[in-house]
Amino acid sequence: MESTAMITPGLARDLAALGRLGEDTSTESVLRGLTTALATGVPNCSGASAEHWRDHRVTVSGSHSELIMLVEGERELGEGPSIEARQSGGRATVTDVLKETRWPRYDALATRWGVRSVLVVPIEAPPDLLVVGLYSVRPGAFSPQGAGSLADMLTEQVGVAMANIWEFEEVRTDHAQLQEALAGRSVIDQAKGIIMQTSGCTAEAAFEELRRISQHHQVKVADLARLLVDEHQRKSARR
């Protein structure tokens, strides 16, 4: 009797690894890792896709470019298992696209790419939603018994990975904003020094002049200061 298990030791290891962060970690890299892990780790799975939804915007990844085109084509058609899973919040299955009657236009598109069976698992990770698709060139490749366990593991491991990414990106954003603020403060100080040198005014008066000109031209003080410093450096280099 053929096993209905869809979770292999290699798959479990690869899914757990999604939560480990590095300098190059991003939502896109996690989606690529997820689809690759599913395509190589799930028995009978020929490929996988992942849609990342946030604020009505979507990012699509796939183990194969054909599957990305299939998912995007399904969205254009407005019918198919991924759309049903996203709207219902439950798993959607196509046992055999050649015998499926719910989405005839999707079935024709899937057949074009050699897909015979499909399993789609939605994963709630507020404020995001991930819609994960598994595809096989064989009919009946994904058993209902194994789909439940796989869905539970995906929800747990992918949820952890996405939560880690949010925290990582928040830290990275805060760091970038701090660096930008420090750089802006430095260039403003340089611009103040130039004004003080040319007009003999105080630091306070130099800053007030910068702010007055920035308001008049509707530009940020830091951007104006950077223009002033750049112009001063160009003039100095010509001397």
Side-chain angles (χ1 to χ4, degrees):
M1 181 177 178
E2 186 176 2
S3 173
T4 60
M6 298 177 66
I7 301 174
T8 62
L11 175 64
R13 181 191 62 246
D14 291 342
L15 290 180
L18 295 176
R20 293 197 286 269
L21 305 180
E23 281 298 320
D24 297 330
T25 301
S26 65
T27 300
E28 289 76 12
S29 69
V30 169
L31 296 182
R32 287 194 300 270
L34 172 61
T35 56
T36 299
L38 292 172
T40 58
V42 176
N44 302 322
C45 183
S46 306
S49 67
E51 299 171 74
H52 173 246
W53 288 87
R54 175 181 284 190
D55 298 329
H56 304 292
R57 296 191 302 270
V58 61
T59 301
V60 181
S61 183
S63 59
H64 301 76
S65 59
E66 294 87 349
L67 295 178
I68 296 177
M69 289 187 283
L70 175 58
V71 170
E72 292 177 342
E74 176 183 356
R75 198 162 62 250
E76 292 175 2
L77 291 174
E79 66 173 42
S82 295
I83 292 177
E84 178 178 289
R86 178 161 56 90
Q87 293 176 345
S88 68
R91 297 193 302 273
T93 304
V94 178
T95 303
D96 187 348
V97 297
L98 297 183
K99 300 178 181 178
E100 175 62 49
T101 59
R102 290 170 293 178
W103 311 298
R105 292 183 299 167
Y106 171 81
D107 297 335
L109 185 61
T111 302
R112 184 187 308 168
W113 297 118
V115 172
R116 287 293 300 273
S117 55
V118 184
L119 169 65
V120 181
V121 179
I123 302 173
E124 294 280 357
D128 298 353
L129 171 67
L130 273 73
V131 181
V132 179
L134 288 78
Y135 307 86
S136 179
V137 296
R138 297 174 48 188
F142 309 117
S143 70
Q145 300 92 325
S149 298
L150 178 64
D152 291 342
M153 172 171 277
L154 286 175
T155 299
E156 178 181 355
Q157 298 292 354
V158 176
V160 169
M162 296 306 297
N164 288 346
I165 285 178
W166 299 329
E167 294 179 3
F168 184 61
E169 289 182 343
E170 285 180 1
V171 171
R172 190 156 50 186
T173 298
D174 290 344
H175 177 73
Q177 290 175 341
L178 176 60
Q179 292 297 105
E180 182 179 357
L182 292 174
R185 181 172 179 177
S186 175
V187 77
I188 289 172
D189 287 341
Q190 293 179 58
K192 284 164 55 180
I194 294 170
I195 295 173
M196 291 166 63
Q197 183 180 19
T198 56
S199 65
C201 66
T202 64
E204 291 78 5
F207 181 74
E208 286 300 321
E209 180 67 6
L210 275 174
R211 187 165 63 177
R212 182 188 67 79
I213 297 174
S214 73
Q215 290 176 345
H216 178 73
H217 292 283
Q218 296 184 339
V219 297
K220 294 180 180 179
V221 172
D223 292 340
L224 176 63
R226 191 169 290 107
L227 290 172
L228 178 60
V229 170
D230 290 345
E231 178 64 22
H232 180 75
Q233 291 175 344
R234 284 194 295 269
K235 287 182 179 180
S236 297
R238 290 197 296 266
R239 292 170 185 170

